[in-house]
Every structure is written in C-alpha cells, then in structure tokens.
Amino acid sequence: MKNKRNMILFELRNITGNPYVHLFGIAMPILMSYIVIRAACAEAADPETIAVISTSVFLGMGTIIPLAIALMGYAATRAQEMEKGIPERLELFGISSRTTLHNRIAAELIFILAVFILYFIYGCLFLTIKAPALSGITIYTACMLALTVIFLCIAHGIATFLKKFGPTYCLVMIFYFAIMLFSGMMGLSYDSMPTGVQTIAKLLPTTYITNDIYTIWTGERYRYAGMLQSFLLWAAAAGILFVASGSRRHMAENR
C-alpha cells in the first residue's frame, strides 16, 4: 500500500512538472472563460441574462481541463518516456507497465479533480454561476469523468504507437485546438457554422456540453440521444485505439 501511494505521488510530481498542463489545462480555461464571458456580457444589463451566459460559458470551458491534462499532458509525458525507454527500465526493477498505467490513471484523476476544484473556486468568486440541480451536477460530473477516461485512452494509444515526443505532441495539439474550434469554444458558435462543419461538430461530446450544458445544469428537460451517441462513439474509438496499442507493444516485446 505504501509503495502504491509513493508511486502515485511520483506520478503526481510528473504531472505537476509538465508546463503544458499548467498553461493549457489550468490557465487556458480560466483565461478563455473570463474573456468570452466579459465580451458576451458587455452589452447585457439583465442580471438573469448575465447569469445564463456566465454559467454556460464557464461550464463549457471546463471541458478544456480533461482535454488538456488527460489528452495533451498525458500523451506528452508518455511519449517522452517511450522515447527514452523508461517503461523498459521500470520493468527491470519489477514495475510492470500495467502497474505504472494504473498509478498514472489514478494520479491523472486526482490532479484533474484538484484543478476542477480550483476552477470552480474561481467561478464562484469572480463569476455569476447559477446553482445546479442535483441531476445537473451529477450529469456534468459524469461527463467530465467520461471525457477524462476517453482522452486518457486516446493519449495512451497515440503515444504508444508513435513513441516520439515531437510527432505525438504535434498530433495531440492539433486535436486540442480542433476539438475546441468545432465545439464552439473559440468564438465560432455551433449555429454559425456551415452545415458540413456542424455535421462534424455533432460527433463531438464536447459540442453538446458547450452548447447545452446550461439546460442540463439547471435540470430542465433535455434529449440526451445525440450526446449519448457521441460519447459512445468516442468511447468505442478510444477503446479500440487503447487495445490496439497494447497489442502492438506486446507483439513488439515478444519478437
């Protein structure tokens, strides 16, 4: 138990030592939410309208946290370790890749939880956030957890396949900004997108969170079919990539 705790603490130090995590996973959502909310509420005088805008933008920007930390941060760290042969060295000391993976996932979840707590403290102190319904906060938490797991699987798969920091970081950075753009987090709303782009946007779980989270958060009636289908699609794709990367690495080790 003590060894497991030490390994998780070691992984937490690795995460906190990654500058990309602090820049894109902590500073970015806070800065983006502040800028977008201030611009959107500049001409709004009604407190209710301000509260609706602030809540919608704040919760939508929260998806940047698992996107940056679980996808980009984890992929960068994993790729660096693969490039330096660290997993093989750890196995020489009796620390299996599976054990390392479990400890890293636990550390990622703990760190993301801490960042969300910090993010909500910022929101409560500086923004006008609507109080959630019990169902709303439950579903939002479940969505963030699901996104974290999906992005971790994708990051692990990409880094394991590419095994190089440069190509891995380039690819996940493209994913990072592409998801933000198509989800409507970079100034281009879903309604103003061309029809073809909207078709792509509908495939992203983050699109539904960004555009519909206020309805869910306040407990209003909402049709979950589209959101659920997008989550299942990405979960299936992430699972296939994760399993395929593990199989490829196992085959490479047995050669």
Side-chain angles (χ1 to χ4, degrees):
M1 181 65 69
K2 184 177 180 180
N3 289 337
K4 184 175 181 62
R5 183 180 63 195
N6 289 337
M7 287 297 296
I8 292 175
L9 290 175
F10 172 76
E11 296 296 346
L12 279 171
R13 284 195 293 270
N14 280 343
I15 297 171
T16 55
N18 188 338
Y20 306 108
V21 165
H22 298 283
L23 177 61
F24 295 103
I26 301 176
M28 180 71 82
I30 292 176
L31 182 62
M32 288 287 291
S33 62
Y34 176 80
I35 292 173
V36 174
I37 289 172
R38 182 162 184 174
C41 295
E43 298 180 0
D46 181 21
E48 182 66 20
T49 302
I50 293 175
V52 172
I53 295 173
S54 299
T55 304
S56 299
V57 174
F58 174 78
L59 296 174
M61 291 296 175
T63 58
I64 296 177
I65 296 172
L67 177 61
I69 298 174
L71 177 63
M72 190 164 59
Y74 178 88
T77 301
R78 171 74 176 171
Q80 285 179 323
E81 292 182 351
M82 294 286 291
E83 195 170 24
K84 296 175 182 178
I86 292 177
E88 290 79 6
R89 297 179 193 176
L90 290 175
E91 289 182 355
L92 292 176
F93 290 95
I95 303 174
S96 66
S97 297
R98 180 174 296 181
T99 300
T100 302
L101 179 62
H102 291 168
N103 292 331
R104 181 155 298 162
I105 290 175
E108 291 281 348
L109 293 174
I110 292 170
F111 187 78
I112 287 176
L113 174 62
V115 174
F116 264 110
I117 291 174
L118 176 65
Y119 185 64
F120 271 86
I121 290 175
Y122 146 74
C124 293
L125 290 177
F126 299 102
L127 304 175
T128 305
I129 307 300
K130 280 274 193 177
L134 178 59
S135 61
I137 195 169
T138 301
I139 294 172
Y140 185 78
T141 302
C143 288
M144 294 302 106
L145 179 60
L147 284 177
T148 298
V149 174
I150 289 171
F151 289 145
L152 282 174
C153 289
I154 294 174
H156 184 86
I158 291 174
T160 302
F161 270 111
L162 297 181
K163 298 182 181 180
K164 299 289 184 180
F165 172 76
T168 299
Y169 184 66
C170 178
L171 184 56
V172 295
M173 180 67 80
I174 291 172
F175 273 141
Y176 176 84
F177 285 109
I179 291 174
M180 286 183 62
L181 177 63
F182 287 115
S183 300
M185 288 185 277
M186 298 188 70
L188 181 64
S189 66
Y190 175 81
D191 294 332
S192 61
M193 294 178 183
T195 304
V197 178
Q198 287 184 348
T199 302
I200 299 174
K202 286 181 180 179
L203 299 176
L204 301 175
T206 48
T207 299
Y208 297 93
I209 296 173
T210 302
N211 290 278
D212 304 330
I213 193 58
Y214 180 82
T215 302
I216 298 171
W217 183 258
T218 54
E220 299 176 23
R221 291 177 61 87
Y222 179 73
R223 297 181 63 182
Y224 291 92
M227 176 186 285
L228 183 59
Q229 288 173 0
S230 66
F231 268 103
L232 291 175
L233 174 65
W234 277 78
I240 292 171
L241 180 61
F242 181 82
V243 172
S245 65
S247 300
R248 180 179 178 181
R249 185 169 186 269
H250 182 70
M251 290 173 60
E253 290 174 350
N254 291 334
R255 289 177 181 176

